[in-house]
Amino acid sequence: MRVYGRTYNELGQPTWQVVQTASNGDNSMVYLTALAQDLKLNLGESPIYAQNGIPAQQSVVTQVYPDYYAMLAQAQYAQYFASLAILRVSGSNSPAYNVQAVTKQGAILGTTIAI
């Protein structure tokens, strides 16, 4: 399996990185990258996965955090991890979520995703 994730250098310029299945068959990084892209996707933006995404623009206008949609993403991706928690970062100016995952091999992965 393969997905592409975007990283930024120190000047803020994006580059695309290939994330694929590890040599031992572990897809944890693939699914974590897909989850991060899902949380950054605007609701209805993808023509194939229209049900995925977060209504971030509407959330900024109404000033209501999209916690329900983050919970839907957590439910969708939880099957690929031993444990998956997506929690809102309190006190942030824009919606941001802290993602903590424990892989089925026992590795702990975590990141903060700004929406």
Side-chain angles (χ1 to χ4, degrees):
M1 202 186 298
R2 175 178 40 201
V3 296
Y4 294 89
R6 191 171 34 195
T7 59
Y8 295 90
N9 63 12
E10 54 276 346
L11 298 175
Q13 299 168 334
T15 58
W16 290 95
Q17 304 291 324
V18 177
V19 180
Q20 56 190 12
T21 303
S23 60
N24 65 356
D26 182 24
N27 281 322
S28 299
M29 292 304 293
V30 173
Y31 287 120
L32 190 64
T33 302
L35 172 62
Q37 291 176 348
D38 195 344
L39 290 175
K40 290 185 145 308
L41 187 68
N42 200 14
L43 189 63
E45 185 177 2
S46 172
I48 299 169
Y49 301 104
Q51 76 279 6
N52 291 17
I54 302 273
Q57 293 173 343
Q58 296 89 335
S59 296
V60 170
V61 170
T62 61
Q63 296 194 4
V64 175
Y65 281 93
D67 292 342
Y68 173 73
Y69 293 94
M71 181 211 52
L72 289 178
Q74 178 179 350
Q76 179 181 354
Y77 286 95
Q79 63 183 329
Y80 305 116
F81 299 96
S83 172
L84 178 65
I86 301 175
L87 302 170
R88 180 173 13 124
V89 176
S90 61
S92 63
N93 290 336
S94 61
Y97 288 89
N98 187 3
V99 178
Q100 294 291 324
V102 177
T103 67
K104 294 182 178 178
Q105 289 76 22
I108 300 172
L109 307 172
T111 188
T112 299
I113 301 170
I115 298 180

